[in-house]
Amino acid sequence: MLHCSMSYFCLAMLHLPNPSDARDWCNVQRQTGRSVGFVPTMGALHRGHESLVDRARIENDVCCASIFVNPLQFEDGQDFNAYPRDLNADLAVLEAHGCDMIFEGTLESFFPEVEDVRRIPMISAGPFGRGLEEVCRPGHLDGVRTIVDRLFRFVGPAKAYFGEKDFQQTLVVMDLAESLGYPDVIVCPTVREPSGLALSSRNALLSPDEKKEAERIFQSLAAAAKAWSSGIRHAHILREKMIEQFAGSRLIVEYAAVRNPSAWTADDPPGELSHAQALIAARLGRVRLIDNLQLH
Ligand code: AMP
């Protein structure tokens, strides 16, 4: 039965602990002619997530979100355990932004047909899973595609909203949506601090000093954008401009890359780029941060 904390017919946001209840609610919405906009998240919500919910609300009859820290996309148990969680604050944010329903779940409830959740059949991330994130976090994008596939099947959204901040993830998800024939995947711009630092749930794990240091990540992307504006089109030169920004930094760069997003399979394509996305991942102590910027 669907329920919320106040009463069955209350106007407050519905909070469902179980994906099968969410599926029932979404089915009712569709059967009554309402389009469902969907925002999948791992919680610890910030203004980046809020921007997705705001857009989903505007573009659909009803908006639902999920909060699930997906173990399938963490290759490191410590990182999974350290991931920030604050459900009460998240519920308040979602309600304030007019979300109609939010649901949670467990691996057992997302994959009821699997007897042992250690044996969930993983879906390959596909062609856009190659390189960058997959090299640094093997299996991460397979884990993303596996859970997003499941979320889409439970929710059946007309449109699903993802942040450009996780650029390679958006390519994998768009490829998944194309293979399923739905939903429309809407990629929303990265919300940043005034310094340029991309908002991230993981920023909550940084000290004020570390946050300042993390600004170099955006500075490196800005350096690539400046070089692009000055006419530089070679990936390796653009990458050197990015790396230069980390001289003397405590940040450890995992990758700094410039790729043509539509020719993703090519590693560092030789020659001149016509379209280019600068992408970076760096670690500051135990915190891993990623960001990217369109150059063309
Ligand atoms: P997460 O909770 O980190 O899995 O993120 C949920 C969604 O929010 C993903 O589609 C992210 O790309 C998106 N997101 C995360 N940070 C930002 C940001 N700074 N601006 C816009 N979207 C974001």
Side-chain angles (χ1 to χ4, degrees):
M1 188 214 274
L2 305 181
H3 58 88
C4 71
S5 51
M6 292 166 73
S7 77
Y8 188 73
F9 291 110
C10 65
L11 292 173
M13 178 178 71
L14 206 54
H15 173 198
L16 303 175
N18 196 314
S20 59
D21 288 338
R23 180 179 51 209
D24 293 346
W25 183 87
C26 292
N27 283 342
V28 170
Q29 303 309 313
R30 275 192 309 278
Q31 282 155 13
T32 48
R34 297 192 186 98
S35 61
V36 178
F38 177 44
V39 181
T41 84
M42 297 204 299
L45 303 181
H46 50 66
R47 281 186 291 113
H49 299 107
E50 288 169 27
S51 71
L52 308 187
V53 174
D54 291 344
R55 185 138 174 217
R57 265 206 75 202
I58 292 169
E59 296 182 355
N60 300 275
D61 298 320
V62 290
C63 163
C64 83
S66 59
I67 296 180
F68 178 58
V69 185
N70 171 28
L72 302 178
Q73 68 189 69
F74 286 82
E75 74 285 13
D76 169 355
Q78 253 185 341
D79 189 26
F80 173 76
N81 291 332
Y83 197 83
R85 292 162 170 90
D86 190 347
L87 181 62
N88 287 336
D90 291 347
L91 295 178
V93 164
L94 290 170
E95 182 141 30
H97 284 261
C99 186
D100 297 290
M101 183 273 279
I102 175 269
F103 69 98
E104 300 178 84
T106 56
L107 280 182
E108 287 78 4
S109 58
F110 278 115
F111 297 90
E113 78 284 11
V114 176
E115 266 180 34
D116 179 351
V117 289
R118 288 168 301 182
R119 300 220 163 74
I120 289 171
M122 300 295 283
I123 303 177
S124 162
F128 297 101
R130 300 205 191 105
L132 306 191
E133 284 300 297
E134 202 50 34
V135 173
C136 301
R137 304 180 70 188
H140 163 67
L141 288 167
D142 295 345
V144 168
R145 187 161 178 151
T146 304
I147 196 67
V148 175
D149 173 83
R150 199 41 76 116
L151 287 164
F152 284 174
R153 290 174 195 275
F154 270 100
V155 173
K159 292 182 178 158
Y161 295 79
F162 290 82
E164 190 179 41
K165 170 166 172 295
D166 298 280
F167 187 79
Q168 193 174 359
Q169 170 174 289
T170 64
L171 298 180
V172 170
V173 169
M174 284 191 285
D175 188 54
L176 166 67
E178 203 179 309
S179 74
L180 293 173
Y182 77 98
D184 282 347
V185 173
I186 313 293
V187 178
C188 303
T190 303
V191 177
R192 301 180 178 281
E193 305 259 15
S195 65
L197 178 68
L199 297 192
S200 163
S201 303
R202 292 173 192 268
N203 292 356
L205 303 173
L206 298 173
S207 69
D209 264 9
E210 289 174 328
K211 227 172 143 184
K212 185 93 199 112
E213 187 64 16
E215 290 172 13
R216 291 204 199 214
I217 293 174
F218 180 72
Q219 287 158 9
S220 78
L221 297 170
K226 190 168 166 216
W228 180 273
S229 308
S230 72
I232 295 172
R233 295 289 181 270
H234 287 280
H236 65 280
I237 304 177
L238 294 163
R239 201 170 58 230
E240 274 164 24
K241 300 284 175 200
M242 292 169 74
I243 298 284
E244 279 169 12
Q245 302 302 312
F246 294 96
S249 172
R250 282 183 290 150
L251 281 152
I252 297 169
V253 177
E254 285 194 346
Y255 62 76
V258 180
R259 284 197 166 195
N260 179 341
S262 43
W264 192 255
T265 46
D267 249 352
D268 192 12
E272 300 217 332
L273 292 163
S274 55
H275 289 70
Q277 198 82 20
L279 304 110
I280 186 150
R283 276 187 192 273
L284 194 48
R286 66 199 167 95
V287 183
R288 183 173 190 274
L289 300 167
I290 62 170
D291 200 356
N292 68 90
L293 196 64
Q294 182 182 304
L295 304 183
H296 57 269

